[in-house]
Amino acid sequence: MDTDQSMVAGASWAPRDVLSGAYDGSRGDGVSLVRLELSGIAGDAARLRELVVAVQLLRCKGCMVEYELDLFGGSPRFATVRENVALLRAIVVDGTTAARFTVNPLVGDCSPWVASYREQVAPAVQPWLSRLSAPLAEAWLEVMMGERMLLGMTGVAAHRIALQRLTLRSNTELLNLVSDSAREFELSGDTRLLDDELVSPRVGALIESLLALRNRFQPDRLLTG
């Protein structure tokens, strides 16, 4: 199935735009991809609540959610990392969207500890983001296309549940890794939580689970079977 040809290009929408009805959730002939604008939300409790409700509304309308977030975006501080992790949790809380973010080079003055932490966390999470979060996003697109073609057949529903559990597990482990390692580094100036011998086996196990799950889900076969 050529999923790339089935995706409808999405615009950027602030959560308030979604809640006000500016976006109607129409999917047309493909899957609607809604890019959320996250500027100014991290650290703002009221806007974070708006985001949670907006994401839930988009889910109900059958829309895929996309976003861009730099882990150190804004002021490069450990508090910024905590706020951005909380923002990510609000988006991916139900397990139907893979947690994704970037770790861009730091701009401007910052604490040497923050700079050192950035140098450690960037390579530690990159395999997770490229080899797991990205394929999870592709797997969700396949599910949504399968649901459209198969009109809720049991095979698709069972696969959705399994994929949701795996996505939730991956999101939780990734965001816990970032938050726990940031807290430890902020307190002591170092952390072993990001060591490759600890991270790689966790990523590898999740990747194996995802590959097995996707191999069992063949929408084209379900159509003919």
Side-chain angles (χ1 to χ4, degrees):
M1 177 172 54
D2 188 354
T3 54
D4 290 339
Q5 297 300 317
S6 303
M7 184 177 291
V8 176
S12 294
W13 299 88
R16 290 179 182 176
D17 294 330
V18 175
L19 296 178
S20 68
Y23 179 75
D24 64 7
S26 176
R27 286 165 57 160
D29 294 330
V31 175
S32 287
L33 176 65
V34 181
R35 181 183 295 273
L36 289 173
E37 173 56 56
L38 303 180
S39 300
I41 297 178
D44 187 322
R47 297 190 65 185
L48 196 60
R49 287 193 294 271
E50 286 183 345
L51 173 64
V52 171
V53 177
V55 169
Q56 292 173 344
L57 179 61
L58 291 171
R59 297 273 196 274
C60 291
K61 292 185 175 182
C63 303
M64 292 189 68
V65 175
E66 190 177 66
Y67 56 90
E68 291 183 359
L69 181 69
D70 176 26
L71 186 62
F72 292 88
S75 175
R77 300 175 297 131
F78 284 107
T80 301
V81 174
R82 289 193 294 271
E83 291 171 353
N84 284 333
V85 168
L87 177 58
L88 286 166
R89 290 189 195 277
I91 297 172
V92 305
V93 64
D94 71 344
T96 60
T97 300
R100 303 179 72 174
F101 54 86
T102 57
V103 186
N104 294 327
L106 300 179
V107 178
D109 296 332
C110 68
S111 161
W113 278 18
V114 172
S116 296
Y117 175 68
R118 187 265 170 202
E119 292 301 315
Q120 288 193 34
V121 73
V125 300
Q126 188 54 45
W128 210 308
L129 297 172
S130 61
R131 299 178 58 204
L132 193 57
S133 291
L136 278 169
E138 294 173 359
W140 275 106
L141 180 57
E142 292 173 353
V143 166
M144 296 189 73
M145 293 306 303
E147 288 174 335
R148 288 178 59 82
M149 291 189 304
L150 304 175
L151 301 178
M153 286 180 62
T154 303
V156 181
H159 179 72
R160 167 183 269 273
I161 293 171
L163 182 60
Q164 186 171 6
R165 289 173 177 169
L166 181 60
T167 305
L168 184 59
R169 177 185 167 193
S170 175
N171 291 346
T172 300
E173 291 194 24
L174 173 59
L175 297 181
N176 284 350
L177 174 65
V178 173
S179 61
D180 292 347
S181 63
R183 180 172 57 252
E184 188 171 287
F185 204 102
E186 184 179 16
L187 292 173
S188 66
D190 197 11
T191 180
R192 291 290 311 280
L193 297 176
L194 300 173
D195 289 359
D196 184 67
E197 60 264 30
L198 298 179
V199 176
S200 289
R202 298 166 64 185
V203 176
L206 289 166
I207 290 173
E208 288 183 5
S209 297
L210 177 59
L211 289 175
L213 191 61
R214 294 185 76 178
N215 286 337
R216 291 196 299 268
F217 181 65
Q218 301 291 338
D220 295 335
R221 292 181 188 174
L222 290 176
L223 275 173
T224 59

